[in-house]
Amino acid sequence: FPLSFFPLVPFLPLLLLTMPRLVLVLLLLAARVGVGQGNYSLVGSAKPGLLPDCYQLTESRPRQVGAVWSDKPLRVDESFAIEFTVNLGADSFGADGVVMVLQTVGDRALGEAGLGIGYRGMRPSLGIEFDTYRNTELGDPDMDHVALVRDGISDHRLHAAFGPPVQLSSISRNAKDGRDHRVRVAYDAPARRLEVFVDCVRRISQGLNLTQLFEGKPDVYWGFTAATGTFTNAHTVCLQKNIVSRDTL
């Protein structure tokens, strides 16, 4: 041992006692990643992506389910806009997709795998579903689609107040192309209208009172869920530094 080691010998018992606690603290901190406006909690199969500010929600493996939640609440009684990119994988026959979710369950919430897309069962909630697999029992169209769903229910036939699912990409029925798709979600609180743009093209414009949907609660958790079933894909979201804007223009 070098001579510099021996002054530490009397403190070895204390170091050995504190090491397990230190390891536990580091493990807990590893589940929270600092980025942009606050931290993000990673749940289930979610993990940091290869690029900064990116999160891989699922690998291309069966029955994966993951989520990433911001620890900074989103006020739904005020206008907001959120921009991010989503990559839905490169297997054109894969599944199941990603959901951007507003909910009050908590920052450890995780729904069902497969057709639940990690969102199913959360109530009250609003989901913006980027669905890449057709489940006929849920009223899915025969194309990758984007749609509004609520209260953890993925069946489009039960959401008559919302418009039907629409093609996710304006130029292709298949959005599982291995590319990052830019998404902008904007809510105009005075007008009570939510709009969703994919690759700069508006896909959804829906009249919606978020304060009423969340039973008068102004602050909600927000984040992203994803899942695979028998068919798989890697699902990734990348979040801008100042991801929440109060400018909806």
Side-chain angles (χ1 to χ4, degrees), residues 106-198:
D107 65 358
R108 307 300 297 172
L110 195 61
E112 298 177 14
L115 55 78
I117 320 182
Y119 158 77
R120 192 174 186 179
M122 296 184 194
R123 178 184 177 92
S125 65
L126 176 74
I128 302 169
E129 175 189 81
F130 305 91
D131 194 338
T132 61
Y133 188 81
R134 187 185 190 190
N135 295 103
T136 55
E137 68 272 31
L138 299 180
D140 286 348
D142 187 18
M143 60 190 173
D144 294 346
H145 57 276
V146 57
L148 297 183
V149 290
R150 62 173 293 179
D151 296 336
I153 300 171
S154 303
D155 192 334
H156 302 296
R157 297 168 299 182
L158 302 179
H159 297 298
F162 297 153
V166 298
Q167 186 169 297
L168 199 160
S169 168
S170 64
I171 60 174
S172 175
R173 295 170 64 85
N174 175 32
K176 303 179 293 294
D177 50 15
R179 299 178 181 177
D180 292 341
H181 295 276
R182 184 166 183 158
V183 179
R184 175 179 171 86
V185 176
Y187 179 63
D188 186 333
R192 296 178 180 176
R193 179 159 295 275
L194 182 77
E195 295 188 322
V196 180
F197 297 81
V198 179

